[in-house]
């Protein structure tokens, strides 16, 4: 429904979003080696999904994986699932959200805190999914929970910053993050209530968003304020370049994850 393209929001505390770039690189590399037909067949890809994906029935001791699919303790899947993706569009969508919004959240926290924040949001997304479908034997995969946490944190940090996005995948618009991201969150809640999709875990998205909103006050730097209170008016108006120069401190088996 909403495809983010670019936010006009310069980095202020770090020279480069190292962790954001690292996470994107890791996700792309894992997808290449686990889900592309050129390097793995369908059976092996499915085995990866069950070995490293988050399977609620397994975590909740309702079912057991075959011994040959057990690689890590089942609790590790609260994190490992977030580095697996199905099709290319699944990967691209999550990485786009990470690329557009992750840099400024990393900037507000610092590199190490941002990494911890990302993994916690992924875990809470999986936990929310597990509460919704505790007996599901389908693996949950994808970075959507973590990316949703970044969306929640960004909304708390920069609601006034302008964001370019495609509405309904086609119409380019430029609006404040408050409107774009609030509408995106509302879309997740709506689908959680009314949709009967077995491919998208709306609960994981909502869990990630809530985690991001709750955690951002605890993880941000002390000199970073919520709701754009420490941004100069020029940055809020959307001129990223000017703000940076402003010297005032202001087909596979059923799986979750598309």
């Amino acid at each position: 429904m909403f495809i983010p393209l670019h936010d006009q929001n310069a980095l202020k505390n770090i020279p480069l979003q190292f962790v954001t770039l690292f996470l994107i690189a890791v996700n792309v590399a894992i997808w290449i080696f686990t889900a592309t037909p050129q390097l793995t067949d369908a059976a092996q890809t499915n085995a990866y999904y069950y070995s490293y994906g988050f399977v609620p029935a397994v975590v909740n001791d309702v079912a057991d994986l075959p011994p040959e699919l057990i690689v890590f303790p089942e609790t590790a899947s609260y994190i490992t699932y977030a580095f697996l993706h199905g099709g290319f569009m699944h990967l691209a969508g999550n990485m786009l959200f990470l690329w557009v919004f992750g840099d400024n959240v990393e900037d507000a926290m610092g590199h190490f805190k941002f990494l911890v924040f990302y993994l916690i949001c992924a875990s809470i997304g999986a936990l929310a999914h597990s509460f919704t479908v505790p007996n599901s034997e389908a693996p949950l995969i994808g970075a959507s929970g973590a990316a949703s946490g970044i969306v929640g944190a960004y909304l708390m940090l920069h609601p006034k910053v302008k964001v370019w996005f495609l509405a309904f995948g086609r119409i380019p618009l430029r609006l404040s993050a408050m409107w774009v991201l609030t509408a995106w969150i509302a879309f997740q809640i709506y689908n959680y209530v009314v949709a009967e999709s077995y491919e998208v875990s709306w609960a994981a998205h909502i869990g990630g968003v809530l985690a991001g909103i709750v955690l951002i006050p605890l993880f941000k730097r002390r000199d970073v304020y919520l709701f754009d209170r420490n941004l100069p008016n020029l940055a809020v108006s959307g001129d990223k370049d000017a703000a940076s120069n402003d010297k005032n401190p202001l087909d596979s088996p059923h799986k979750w994850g598309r």
Side-chain angles (χ1 to χ4, degrees):
M1 184 176 182
F2 301 104
I3 302 175
L5 300 175
H6 176 61
D7 70 325
Q8 297 180 313
N9 194 1
L11 299 178
K12 301 166 186 64
N13 301 300
I14 59 175
L16 187 66
Q17 62 274 33
F18 295 110
V19 175
T20 297
L21 297 174
F22 171 76
L23 288 169
I24 292 173
V26 169
N27 275 279
V28 171
I30 290 176
W31 176 76
I32 290 173
F33 286 102
T34 62
T36 54
Q38 292 80 4
L39 296 178
T40 184
D41 58 29
Q44 184 60 59
T45 296
N46 295 336
Y48 287 136
Y49 292 159
Y50 280 95
S51 292
Y52 302 101
F54 181 83
V55 183
V58 173
V59 173
N60 294 325
D61 295 325
V62 176
D64 295 314
L65 287 176
E68 64 273 15
L69 295 181
I70 299 175
V71 179
F72 294 125
E74 59 193 31
T75 52
S77 65
Y78 279 96
I79 291 176
T80 57
Y81 87 96
F83 293 92
L84 293 171
H85 291 86
F88 174 76
M89 294 307 297
H90 183 207
L91 171 74
N94 284 332
M95 295 305 100
L96 187 58
F97 272 80
L98 180 54
W99 169 257
V100 173
F101 302 115
D103 59 340
N104 294 109
V105 178
E106 182 177 350
D107 185 57
M109 297 179 179
H111 304 305
F112 179 73
K113 283 186 176 181
F114 176 69
L115 178 59
V116 174
F117 169 85
Y118 182 91
L119 298 177
I120 291 176
C121 288
S123 299
I124 293 179
L127 186 63
H129 175 74
S130 179
F131 282 151
T132 304
V133 285
N135 298 323
S136 173
E137 296 186 15
L140 172 69
I141 60 172
S144 299
S148 298
I150 290 172
V151 167
Y154 192 98
L155 182 60
M156 295 286 286
L157 289 166
H158 304 300
K160 299 178 183 177
V161 168
K162 302 294 185 179
V163 178
W164 277 102
F165 70 101
L166 290 179
F168 307 103
R170 302 180 181 208
I171 306 170
L173 294 175
R174 181 174 174 265
L175 295 173
S176 297
M178 177 179 65
W179 299 109
V180 177
L181 299 185
T182 299
W184 184 86
I185 293 170
F187 181 71
Q188 312 309 304
I189 296 172
Y190 171 81
N191 278 283
Y192 174 74
V193 174
V194 305
E196 297 182 356
S197 171
Y198 292 98
E199 293 183 338
V200 179
S201 177
W202 306 107
H205 297 183
I206 295 169
V209 166
L210 293 176
I213 291 172
V214 170
L215 292 176
I216 185 60
L218 304 176
F219 278 73
K220 71 177 182 62
R221 300 171 186 266
R222 288 188 176 182
D223 58 344
V224 172
Y225 297 91
L226 300 178
F227 309 116
D228 286 323
R229 285 183 295 167
N230 62 331
L231 283 179
N233 291 334
L234 194 55
V236 173
S237 70
D239 190 341
K240 184 170 186 175
D241 294 332
S244 64
N245 294 326
D246 194 320
K247 298 186 180 177
N248 290 322
L250 237 182
D251 327 275
S252 54
H254 166 206
K255 61 183 179 297
W256 299 88
R258 183 189 302 176

